[in-house]
Amino acid sequence: MNNYRATAPDGTVTDYEADLPDPAHLTAGWRLEEIIAIAPSPDEFPAPVTVYGGRRRISKLELIALLGPAAYVAILSMARESVEVEAWVKQIELAAQDVDGNSISLDDPRTAYGLQAIEPALIGSGAVSAGWAQGVLNG
Amino acid sequence: MANKYLIQGATYCGDGTASNEAASAGATGAWNNANVITGTAPAYGSLGVNDVVYCRSKTSAGADVTISTGVNANIGKASQTGNDRVHWIIDGGTVWSGVNGAWTFALSSSVAWTVLAGNAVEAMTQDKLAFTGYAGGHSSNMLIISANAELIRPLIDNTANTYFGAQTALIGTLRSPHLKLKLRYSYGLYVPGYSLGTVTDPDVELTDATETDPIFYASSYGSQMMVYGGSVRGAGAVSGVPVCIPPINQAAGVFLHGFRYPYAMPLTSLSGWATTNGNRVISTGADGAMGATMHQYAGAITSRHDGNYPTLNAVLPDSAATPWSYLIEPRNARKSWPLILPVRKMYKSAAAAKTITLEALVGTQFGEILKNTCWVEFVYVDATTGNTVTLSTYDPAAGALTASTAAWSQTTYGAVSFNKIKFSATTPTSIKQDTVVEARLMVCVPQVVTTEDLLVVCPDVQLT
């Protein structure tokens, strides 16, 4: 069984499996391809979605944008009641700006630790859904 | 070295030695699986280190061939050594009459095809060998052409990319490629470190006017990109889109010989040059004529004939004797980073002492151009001794440059007004007949206002 992709004259694309192609797809105006996949599709390991194009060092404001407004407000609220959360927020607040103009490294263990530690509480409060912390760390 | 044949989808796999479909397995006839080109040994026969493999451009059933991968994958015979080369040819009707389909190497993920060293892949018909990028977020190379690998007449299309990246790494040779590009936070074609990449006759199609990143990049230490012929076109070939990225690492350079691009496209962004290297980006014939442009950290020099700069005496050796001149932008020039323009003239008269003069224009607002920041070194051959003699107009007292009354075609260029100046020296001895006299303009002061602080030079050195 072969995989075929037929592109009609109007641009409509049809993928199908067959031992032989539809003869109509071999007529003028059609483009017919036999697709030979030599490796698995990307569904098993999709490229992560990023906001800043894969940049790993970002500014404090960019981090706040990655957190999302609901999570940001929720974290600030939690910081009023939890010294640990307040400490993490202050750590970000006090991070110095480096020569590249950024302050936050998404690869810094302290960044990951704080996000992963706070994620369950944010999910519990409905501020975020599962996978939020990884989404922020993707950049 | 032998000719081999491949027909994707034939009923039986032959021994590869003939172009017919084999009558039974292992019989004389073509191989029947395209995976031979991606490194799988054929079921019958063998692939020799210098074979020419003709690939039928359509399957046995009449379809084009599209080979797709979701992981990094190779094209060609592996482990080639020395000058061994397997030449894969996507036939365009020469072997299989009337059959002119296409082979496409596609990506289903953010990965790359690599053309292995010692392999050439050729489409008999332009674009019938295609490399298409991942229709999603491609954050890295889409194609790598190894050293001693070659692609001939391919289509390289990264326009499906929605990310930065999807560039082509060139360490080998690209001949007559059609580069169909959307340059998004990246570049189209680059040469990695300590490598030479060569491109001949590229057809660069920039498809998107909103994607404004450059085409070519010598990306690391010792990268050299050589481009011969070709041109750029499309919606993205517009004002402000640089042709090249300034090479930021030492000993890197891009050299474009006869690659045509519109005047509106700068060769590089002069603001992007770093102080840490002496690299150059050089273009000749971008105007379809004899103009040349050089960019470096110190600034830019160009003689593009479609620049319509003021002119004086110099004319091209064409039927119309078209006037021409140089425009100089000393963006970061200084005495430690001089911007140097050497012009030369053959002295054909009898030996005699002469006054050598180089005429120029300088922007009226460019007050920093003085005799100690801009001067000429005249070099001639002494008729008696045969030695070269250098005369300089440099004056440490920083006096004003000598005014001139030469009859330039105009003393304005757009909004910029110019003063006429000249550099002169009289030789103390006779100039030898049939030797070269050189006038080397040294510009050692940076622009203050980049749009106004310009010089125009007439390259026709006067000997009176």
Side-chain angles (χ1 to χ4, degrees):
Chain A
M1 194 71 78
N2 300 315
N3 293 300
Y4 292 104
R5 174 173 299 144
T7 305
D10 66 358
T12 304
V13 177
T14 304
D15 292 320
Y16 61 98
E17 285 188 8
D19 288 331
L20 292 173
D22 184 335
H25 299 156
L26 294 169
T27 59
W30 284 82
R31 186 186 178 204
L32 179 69
E33 303 165 77
E34 180 178 326
I35 308 298
I36 304 161
I38 67 169
S41 73
D43 293 337
E44 298 174 32
F45 35 84
V49 176
T50 71
V51 175
Y52 303 121
R55 179 160 50 90
R56 304 305 296 165
R57 290 188 54 76
I58 59 175
S59 69
K60 297 175 190 179
L61 287 177
E62 287 175 331
L63 175 63
I64 291 172
L66 287 177
L67 295 175
Y72 179 51
V73 169
I75 289 171
L76 292 179
S77 295
M78 293 166 65
R80 293 182 179 182
E81 300 173 1
S82 164
V83 173
E84 286 82 7
V85 175
E86 183 185 13
W88 185 73
V89 171
K90 279 205 171 295
Q91 201 170 55
I92 293 170
E93 191 177 330
L94 294 172
Q97 186 179 68
D98 292 321
V99 293
D100 65 355
N102 295 311
S103 309
I104 307 297
S105 169
L106 294 172
D107 295 322
D108 190 320
R110 293 170 294 182
T111 307
Y113 173 78
L115 291 169
Q116 290 160 351
I118 209 168
E119 184 181 35
L122 292 175
I123 292 174
S125 70
V128 302
S129 54
W132 165 83
Q134 185 58 55
V136 174
L137 291 171
N138 285 344
Chain B
M1 175 180 136
N3 290 339
K4 302 288 171 59
Y5 303 87
L6 189 156
I7 303 173
Q8 165 65 26
T11 303
Y12 298 105
C13 181
D15 62 1
T17 62
S19 63
N20 56 283
E21 294 198 20
S24 61
T28 300
W31 295 319
N32 71 341
N33 197 323
N35 64 10
V36 175
I37 201 173
T38 54
T40 301
Y44 300 94
S46 63
L47 179 62
V49 297
N50 283 300
D51 282 353
V52 178
V53 183
Y54 292 90
C55 305
R56 193 175 189 269
S57 56
K58 286 186 180 289
T59 67
S60 174
D64 289 345
V65 177
T66 294
I67 305 172
S68 179
T69 182
V71 298
N72 292 321
N74 297 328
I75 297 171
K77 181 177 173 56
S79 305
Q80 295 279 74
T81 59
N83 292 322
D84 291 338
R85 173 163 292 196
V86 173
H87 198 128
W88 308 83
I89 298 177
I90 311 304
D91 182 65
T94 300
V95 175
W96 293 278
S97 179
V99 178
N100 194 13
W103 278 45
T104 299
F105 290 86
L107 299 171
S108 57
S109 183
S110 181
V111 292
W113 286 106
T114 296
V115 184
L116 295 175
N119 288 273
V121 190
E122 176 179 357
M124 279 190 176
T125 305
Q126 183 72 51
D127 290 6
K128 294 295 188 176
L129 166 66
F131 297 85
T132 55
Y134 172 45
H138 201 139
S139 60
S140 61
N141 298 325
M142 63 173 277
L143 175 62
I144 300 169
I145 302 163
S146 304
N148 195 27
E150 191 173 12
L151 291 179
I152 305 166
R153 295 183 215 92
L155 164 65
I156 300 173
D157 182 351
N158 82 342
T159 57
N161 181 35
T162 60
Y163 245 35
F164 65 94
Q167 61 266 18
T168 296
L170 177 65
I171 315 166
T173 304
L174 264 178
R175 287 167 47 189
S176 300
H178 175 191
L179 305 177
K180 187 174 181 181
L181 304 175
K182 184 169 71 172
L183 299 173
R184 182 180 176 88
Y185 310 126
S186 186
Y187 34 86
L189 186 66
Y190 79 102
V191 176
Y194 304 110
S195 300
L196 170 65
T198 304
V199 191
T200 60
D201 301 313
D203 171 18
V204 181
E205 181 184 1
L206 302 182
T207 61
D208 192 329
T210 65
E211 306 287 0
T212 58
D213 286 277
I215 306 167
F216 303 118
Y217 186 28
S219 71
S220 189
Y221 301 93
S223 306
Q224 299 287 315
M225 178 179 289
M226 310 292 290
V227 181
Y228 298 91
S231 61
V232 63
R233 59 186 171 98
V238 295
S239 175
V241 178
V243 177
C244 304
I245 297 176
I248 62 171
N249 292 299
Q250 285 84 350
V254 180
F255 305 92
L256 310 174
H257 300 289
F259 179 78
R260 299 181 62 172
Y261 58 93
Y263 184 81
M265 295 179 71
L267 180 58
T268 73
S269 174
L270 282 177
S271 61
W273 283 83
T275 61
T276 57
N277 65 75
N279 297 328
R280 305 281 191 276
V281 174
I282 294 173
S283 161
T284 64
D287 53 4
M290 298 177 67
T293 302
M294 181 198 69
H295 281 205
Q296 57 173 115
Y297 171 71
I301 300 174
T302 184
S303 63
R304 284 192 65 138
H305 306 310
D306 51 2
N308 299 312
Y309 312 128
T311 56
L312 181 57
N313 299 313
V315 297
L316 296 175
D318 60 1
S319 61
T322 305
W324 71 285
S325 60
Y326 284 101
L327 178 74
I328 299 175
E329 303 173 69
R331 180 63 64 98
N332 301 300
R334 61 200 65 167
K335 287 182 180 172
S336 57
W337 286 94
L339 188 59
I340 303 174
L341 171 63
V343 293
R344 313 177 97 205
K345 187 169 190 175
M346 181 67 76
Y347 179 71
K348 298 182 289 186
S349 302
K354 293 289 183 180
T355 297
I356 314 172
T357 301
L358 185 72
E359 298 275 359
L361 299 173
V362 61
T364 57
Q365 304 303 309
F366 202 175
E368 294 77 10
I369 288 284
L370 301 169
K371 286 186 175 179
N372 70 333
T373 59
C374 182
W375 68 93
V376 171
E377 296 173 352
F378 295 107
V379 184
Y380 72 96
V381 178
D382 186 296
T384 302
T385 65
N387 297 327
T388 57
V389 179
T390 301
L391 309 171
S392 177
T393 67
Y394 177 79
D395 181 358
L401 294 172
T402 305
S404 173
T405 59
W408 285 83
S409 61
Q410 66 217 53
T411 55
T412 58
Y413 183 63
V416 182
S417 296
F418 293 100
N419 291 325
K420 300 178 186 179
I421 59 172
K422 62 180 178 181
F423 306 85
S424 293
T426 300
T427 64
T429 58
S430 297
I431 304 173
K432 185 176 181 179
Q433 188 177 34
D434 293 332
T435 60
V436 170
V437 175
E438 179 172 300
R440 192 181 305 139
L441 177 67
M442 312 287 290
V443 184
C444 300
V445 62
Q447 297 171 304
V448 175
V449 179
T450 59
T451 53
E452 296 177 352
D453 296 341
L454 306 171
L455 295 100
V456 180
V457 174
C458 175
D460 187 4
V461 177
Q462 300 298 296
L463 300 163
T464 57

